[in-house]
Amino acid sequence: MSNHIYFTEEHNEFRKIFRDFLHREVVPYIEKWEKTGEIERFIWEKFGEMGYFGLNQLEEYGGLNLDLFYTVIFLEELQRINSGGFAAAMWAHSYLNMSHLKAEASHEIKQKYLTPSIEGKKIGCLCITEPFGGSDVAGMRTTAVKQGNTYVINGSKTFITNGMYSDYLIVAAKTNPDDRHKGISMFVIDRNTKGVTSTKLNKLGWKASDTAEIAFDNVTIPIENLLGEEGKGFSYIMQHFALERLVMGVNAHARAEFAVEYAIQYMSERESFGQTINKFQVLRHKIAEMASKVDMCKEYNYSIAKRLNDGEYVVKEASMSKLLSTKMADEIIYDALQLLGGYGYMEDYPIARMYRDSRIGPIGGGTSEILKEIIAKIIIDGKKYNKQVDI
Ligand SMILES: Cc1cc2nc3c(=O)[nH]c(=O)nc-3n(C[C@H](O)[C@H](O)[C@H](O)COP(=O)(O)OP(=O)(O)OC[C@H]3O[C@@H](n4cnc5c(N)ncnc54)[C@H](O)[C@@H]3O)c2cc1C
């Protein structure tokens, strides 16, 4: 049953419509996209037509400017169709690259990239991680050198979601390579700019999404493609991490919840020793424990979503959300697979894919080790992080 503290009748109606949409328009294609690793363009456009890419976006540019619980529903329902890759392609577009456009881009750049992104006509990606290291963001080596009315970008990025088939890239690069945190700036780059090349990567899970390594060889872009101010890139990236990490926490509780529901259903049908396996106390207790863990994370994530929605800068709480929810999801899905016995290991049953897809949770968008560093700095050293842009 929907949690009435956070979800209104309108939210519940939206959930129903979005769930029906996913089952009608997306589910019939999931197996195909999981095999090809390429999500066809028509579905991006359908998401755009329905307004699903504009839930938290500015009305002036075609968005709906709805509260964050519409986003929560969007994320939860995407997890329930069990293609982590498809879900990632959709939420990365909405909440990684578009967050930077929303907060930092000029009016002209918003018209050129944000509006078509909301309409599903242009796909974007966010390029921060580099082959030399992702956790140490300030240590990035890609450079952007100002030359007259242009910036010239050189370097490379890796593990970029939507990195192969997107139309534009939001790229972090050093405008001052001698400075760590204050030397980073953000840019938008058209995919077809001379000198941009991508190589598709083969991964353990998230099979439907295209993940790529991207090289920039003397890529020349107009100075208008700088997002926000020069040298502020690091603080922009950190600011957006609050929403991004909560997004990943919500994804985690949603896939874990789906796994528990599936296991309960399976246990009510599977027989062993002359009775359905949901009669064995050891398995009943396992399910009780699993469901409790899911609920604890879910309720925490909802409360943090509420605080973020109300304008609070919840960097510590969003880090905690991702840290524990992704760990919980991995454990729950591992246990759910066990409850299915040999069938859990088969691709014809949903848990096998979930098991692979879930493993990226404690890695992507800030590893658990880095999240612990942030939390420790806040709660032990008293470090303060202040809100600087509207997220
Ligand atoms: C499928 C997928 C999709 C992704 N999508 C994107 C994307 O769209 N855009 C993007 O920019 N990036 C993306 N990433 C990159 C992801 O964010 C990075 O992989 C992640 O931040 C870790 O960086 P790394 O892989 O370079 O690991 P490293 O930084 O090399 O870390 C290796 C190990 O060392 C640990 N470690 C590093 N530093 C410390 C420290 N100070 N203290 C303790 N432990 C430490 C890490 O926790 C990790 O366990 C994606 C990754 C994957 C796998």
Side-chain angles (χ1 to χ4, degrees):
M1 204 173 82
S2 166
N3 185 325
H4 66 275
I5 301 173
Y6 304 106
F7 298 101
T8 62
E9 277 308 309
E10 288 77 25
H11 287 124
N12 297 338
E13 188 57 24
F14 170 71
R15 188 187 292 279
K16 189 178 167 304
I17 291 167
F18 186 49
R19 185 177 287 190
D20 289 347
F21 170 86
L22 290 176
H23 282 274
R24 203 176 53 248
E25 307 287 350
V26 178
V27 170
Y29 298 95
I30 286 293
E31 294 308 319
K32 180 180 174 195
W33 297 335
E34 284 279 319
K35 280 199 181 72
T36 60
E38 184 173 356
I39 297 161
E40 286 162 276
R41 279 287 169 144
F42 74 84
I43 197 62
W44 294 89
E45 283 171 22
K46 279 194 179 161
F47 266 62
E49 280 161 24
M50 295 295 290
Y52 296 143
F53 290 137
L55 298 177
N56 75 331
Q57 279 292 345
L58 307 162
E59 282 176 285
E60 193 187 347
Y61 299 96
L64 298 168
N65 198 24
L66 296 167
D67 69 67
L68 205 52
F69 284 92
Y70 286 91
T71 289
V72 169
I73 293 167
F74 175 81
L75 299 169
E76 289 181 332
E77 293 303 316
L78 277 172
Q79 292 299 312
R80 296 182 65 86
I81 58 168
N82 195 23
S83 168
F86 178 80
M90 298 297 131
W91 62 253
H93 176 62
S94 302
Y95 300 104
L96 301 189
N97 41 288
M98 275 163 66
S99 292
H100 283 271
L101 289 174
K102 176 186 177 187
E104 289 119 48
S106 66
H107 173 62
E108 291 70 29
I109 292 289
K110 282 194 176 88
Q111 283 181 320
K112 191 170 171 194
Y113 295 98
L114 184 58
T115 298
S117 297
I118 293 170
E119 291 169 349
K121 292 181 180 150
K122 274 191 179 165
I123 305 169
C125 63
L126 178 63
C127 309
I128 296 173
T129 305
E130 302 197 346
F132 307 103
S135 300
D136 182 12
V137 173
M140 69 174 61
R141 299 183 191 177
T142 298
T143 56
V145 177
K146 207 181 214 166
Q147 283 182 7
N149 285 336
T150 64
Y151 282 99
V152 180
I153 319 261
N154 278 289
S156 55
K157 299 286 172 181
T158 197
F159 305 146
I160 305 306
T161 303
N162 297 333
M164 201 67 203
Y165 305 122
S166 48
D167 304 293
Y168 67 88
L169 306 86
I170 305 291
V171 178
K174 282 271 172 86
T175 34
N176 180 2
D178 297 331
D179 208 320
R180 274 175 59 82
H181 302 88
K182 292 190 178 143
I184 298 173
S185 304
M186 301 299 292
F187 302 90
V188 56
I189 302 179
D190 261 346
R191 156 81 52 192
N192 54 17
T193 314
K194 191 165 171 277
V196 178
T197 50
S198 290
T199 311
K200 197 169 181 178
L201 300 170
N202 192 11
K203 338 183 263 298
L204 171 70
W206 277 16
K207 293 286 187 188
S209 99
D210 54 297
T211 309
E213 182 160 335
I214 302 174
F216 304 98
D217 180 12
N218 284 318
V219 174
T220 305
I221 56 168
I223 46 170
E224 291 76 30
N225 286 25
L226 171 72
L227 300 180
E229 290 175 46
E230 214 181 80
K232 288 240 174 121
F234 187 82
S235 74
Y236 296 149
I237 293 166
M238 293 301 136
Q239 295 282 302
H240 294 302
F241 271 156
L243 174 60
E244 286 167 26
R245 286 171 178 164
L246 183 62
V247 162
M248 296 175 201
V250 169
N251 289 337
H253 84 229
R255 65 177 172 269
E257 184 171 50
F258 177 72
V260 173
E261 286 173 19
Y262 188 83
I264 291 173
Q265 176 62 32
Y266 181 86
M267 286 162 62
S268 73
E269 292 163 6
R270 178 72 175 170
E271 290 192 7
S272 179
F273 293 91
Q275 58 180 347
T276 54
I277 62 172
N278 65 3
K279 299 287 189 302
F280 295 123
Q281 191 181 43
V282 68
L283 304 190
R284 297 169 68 83
H285 285 193
K286 174 55 84 182
I287 284 286
E289 199 181 330
M290 290 161 73
S292 306
K293 286 180 183 168
V294 172
D295 249 41
M296 296 292 283
C297 284
K298 185 163 92 164
E299 290 296 322
Y300 180 80
N301 293 342
Y302 286 169
S303 80
I304 304 311
K306 174 84 173 74
R307 285 167 60 187
L308 185 61
N309 185 62
D310 291 349
E312 228 184 291
Y313 184 50
V314 287
V315 65
K316 180 189 76 178
E317 293 80 358
S319 304
M320 289 175 164
S321 158
K322 179 176 185 287
L323 175 69
L324 285 197
S325 304
T326 57
K327 183 167 188 275
M328 178 277 299
D330 271 3
E331 288 169 2
I332 295 295
I333 292 165
Y334 180 97
D335 288 341
L337 195 151
Q338 185 74 16
L339 291 170
L340 267 69
Y343 293 100
Y345 203 67
M346 296 296 125
E347 291 289 341
D348 292 342
Y349 289 73
I351 307 291
R353 182 184 298 155
M354 293 190 83
Y355 184 73
R356 287 196 303 273
D357 286 351
S358 185
R359 190 60 186 87
I360 181 63
I363 299 170
T367 65
S368 294
E369 291 76 13
I370 294 300
L371 296 176
K372 286 178 199 169
E373 277 298 299
I374 293 168
I375 297 164
K377 277 185 197 154
I378 296 173
I379 64 176
I380 299 171
D381 305 334
K383 189 170 165 66
K384 298 254 181 299
Y385 293 91
N386 298 317
K387 185 173 167 181
Q388 291 174 29
V389 291
D390 246 349
I391 46 180

